[in-house]
Amino acid sequence: MYDDIAAISTASGTGGVAIIRISGKNALKIALNMFSSSANLTEVKPNYMYSGNIAGDGFTDYGFMVYFKAPKSFTGEDIVEFHCHGGAVIARGILKKALSFGARAAERGEFTRRAFLNGKLSLASAEGMADMINAESLALVRAGSMMYNEKLTAEVRVLQDILKDLLARSAVEIDYPEEDEDGVDFNAISNEIKKLSKSVTSLITTYSGGKKLKSGVSVAICGKPNTGKSSLLNALLGYDKAIVSSQAGTTRDIVEGEIELFGVKYILTDTAGIRERAGEVESIGIERAKSAVLSADIVLSVTDGSGEAEIPRNFSGNKITVFNKCDKVKPFGGYDIAVSAKTGEGLEELKKKIADAGVGEPALDKVFIVEERHYDALKRAEKFLSSAAENVGACTLDLITVDLKEAWDALGEITGETANEEIISCVFEKFCVGK
């Protein structure tokens, strides 16, 4: 069905071990042309690692060969892996030798694409794998793992099965109306559709948190000049990132740093002190500060008792008012938490408040929608289900089934059952060549 492909599956550069992977019906034949061992290779055992010499382009390296027999392999085809010394020239030389025996260079994500096409994993599972590989936080690794282990696919397929049952029953009613003496129970159909729609909506609501798991939660630190915003940034990060000075207007541009809370990445942004009178350069920084506030998920409004900086009215995120310098001044006025960036007092409690205002502590067994593609498919399914529910009793059953089928198709784009070639290609282009 497919030709043989080969690629280096480990990261480029020098390392302890490099892996060259070959997949296809002739994978073992190609590998045996390159490998010699003191072991008997007349009948290579699957899932068994053989030691021996691997032929490269102009050299021989000592390493290992392992054979995975179809269909019990990652791609569902025969796969052979060479584990060699991790020099870049060695890995490229062994790959070149494999190509000389009839394999071709794999395209980006082609191994995983074959796994999908051979039914070894769903499209959502493949995307979960990509999220795990590219994750910059523990929480995204966990969310990606839930997708990779088919948790999202399982939930979506339950919804599809309910839709399939509704469509089958509707088809019987349409084609053989005389078989049902009591007629169509539109009330029951309406209730089932509404219940289904509620389940879809429940998945959709996880996207807000899922998007933050993937991209991180943005936190803007704002306030009047000299309230200790830069000191607070440094204290939260645990190292000096921003310049700290008693001179007003020291911070004139955006300064960023990252922390991880409950496995979630939080991107902290120190902004210029917001005040009315400022020089030209400082004014540019203040405008950037206002822009950072508007785009933030959370704002830490820092005060030392001298009043808060005005936050734009159209800010829609969460605000935490932080009274800083509590080691010098007894906190007063309205605030959510008192801290001292200098002594560290209240910092752990502040981190907890930031986490609570962001994603909190993500449940280990909860499915999050982290891909915009999945969110879009669910929104369309929700729209078609809403249309079907509204039309029950007002339209003929065959018109209602049109919406139900559209909803099923939309959900199928997540699992891959109805995904077109453009969607599939877009998913696998995100992978590296060896995956």
Side-chain angles (χ1 to χ4, degrees):
M1 184 178 179
Y2 305 114
D3 46 6
D4 303 292
I5 56 172
I8 301 169
S9 292
T10 41
S12 60
T14 303
V17 175
I19 297 174
I20 295 86
R21 178 183 286 172
I22 309 167
S23 181
K25 65 180 182 180
N26 297 310
L28 184 58
K29 181 181 176 182
I30 292 170
L32 291 177
N33 281 329
M34 302 169 57
F35 189 74
S36 59
S37 173
S38 58
N40 181 11
L41 297 177
T42 54
E43 189 176 344
V44 178
K45 298 178 185 177
N47 311 315
Y48 185 87
M49 187 167 275
Y50 293 88
S51 61
N53 293 312
I54 310 167
D57 184 43
F59 66 91
T60 299
D61 185 33
Y62 184 81
F64 300 93
M65 181 189 83
V66 59
Y67 168 51
F68 303 96
K69 185 175 176 61
K72 295 181 179 181
S73 69
F74 175 69
T75 61
E77 306 169 337
D78 278 359
I79 288 182
V80 175
E81 288 182 357
F82 286 125
H83 295 232
C84 62
H85 289 100
V89 175
I90 295 173
R92 287 198 298 267
I94 293 173
L95 172 61
K96 188 174 180 181
K97 195 71 172 179
L99 299 181
S100 73
F101 281 112
R104 68 165 173 80
E107 298 173 1
R108 294 179 70 90
E110 191 169 1
F111 289 96
T112 311
R113 184 184 183 119
R114 290 189 178 199
F116 163 67
L117 294 174
N118 289 324
K120 303 298 288 185
L121 76 174
S122 69
L123 199 56
S125 177
E127 289 169 291
M129 183 196 300
D131 283 336
M132 290 177 70
I133 292 169
N134 298 315
E136 295 182 358
S137 69
L138 177 61
L140 184 54
V141 170
R142 290 171 176 166
S145 177
M146 293 294 283
M147 278 201 290
Y148 177 59
N149 289 308
E150 305 286 12
K151 302 293 185 183
L152 174 60
T153 299
E155 289 197 19
V156 171
R157 280 184 175 152
V158 166
L159 303 178
Q160 283 188 291
D161 286 344
I162 296 169
L163 272 169
K164 192 185 295 182
D165 182 62
L166 272 171
L167 286 164
R169 282 156 47 198
S170 298
V172 171
E173 291 286 355
I174 293 167
D175 294 338
Y176 307 103
E178 68 281 356
E179 297 293 327
D180 190 350
E181 295 177 1
D182 298 324
V184 180
D185 188 347
F186 284 106
N187 248 357
I189 291 175
S190 177
N191 288 335
E192 285 188 62
I193 294 172
K194 287 175 182 176
K195 185 178 178 181
L196 189 59
S197 183
K198 189 176 179 181
S199 297
V200 171
T201 302
S202 179
L203 269 178
I204 289 171
T205 58
T206 68
Y207 180 62
S208 175
K211 189 165 58 170
K212 291 173 183 175
L213 294 184
K214 185 162 188 174
S215 305
V217 182
S218 57
V219 182
I221 304 173
C222 73
K224 290 185 174 182
N226 267 355
T227 52
K229 299 181 300 300
S230 298
S231 296
L232 183 60
L233 172 71
N234 292 340
L236 287 169
L237 294 176
Y239 63 92
D240 290 342
K241 175 79 174 185
I243 298 172
V244 176
S245 169
S246 59
Q247 181 180 339
T250 300
T251 303
R252 299 191 175 194
D253 206 346
I254 301 298
V255 180
E256 287 187 351
E258 294 179 5
I259 59 173
E260 199 169 284
L261 303 173
F262 298 115
V264 180
K265 181 174 72 173
Y266 287 78
I267 305 156
L268 307 179
T269 303
D270 178 26
T271 63
I274 300 174
R275 59 175 175 169
E276 291 182 6
R277 295 182 180 181
E280 183 180 352
V281 175
E282 190 182 348
S283 294
I284 295 171
I286 290 171
E287 288 306 310
R288 290 182 180 179
K290 290 177 180 178
S291 177
V293 167
L294 283 175
S295 62
D297 298 306
I298 303 169
V299 161
L300 301 185
S301 180
V302 183
T303 178
D304 57 2
S306 59
E308 290 186 63
E310 186 178 340
I311 293 176
R313 291 182 181 179
N314 50 342
F315 170 67
S316 59
N318 294 312
K319 185 182 87 165
I320 302 171
T321 302
V322 182
F323 192 105
N324 193 19
K325 305 181 184 179
C326 70
D327 57 312
K328 291 183 177 180
V329 182
K330 186 176 180 180
F332 63 90
Y335 61 91
D336 297 309
I337 183 171
V339 305
S340 169
K342 184 177 181 181
T343 67
E345 182 181 346
L347 284 181
E348 291 306 312
E349 187 183 346
L350 175 57
K351 288 178 182 179
K352 179 68 167 58
K353 282 188 176 293
I354 292 171
D356 288 343
V359 184
E361 185 172 3
L364 296 180
D365 59 347
K366 183 178 179 180
V367 171
F368 282 92
I369 300 301
V370 299
E371 298 293 333
E372 187 176 350
R373 188 182 77 79
H374 299 169
Y375 173 74
D376 176 65
L378 286 167
K379 288 294 287 184
R380 282 186 282 116
E382 182 185 47
K383 183 187 77 171
F384 290 125
L385 288 171
S386 176
S387 174
E390 287 174 8
N391 290 329
V392 171
C395 293
T396 58
L397 197 56
D398 56 335
L399 290 176
I400 296 167
T401 59
V402 171
D403 281 328
L404 295 180
K405 179 62 169 61
E406 291 282 7
W408 190 91
D409 285 345
L411 293 174
E413 289 180 16
I414 296 174
T415 62
E417 290 166 279
T418 59
N420 59 35
E421 183 61 29
E422 184 179 354
I423 291 173
I424 293 169
S425 296
C426 184
V427 168
F428 292 107
E429 282 171 2
K430 297 176 185 176
F431 287 85
C432 62
V433 170
K435 196 64 181 174

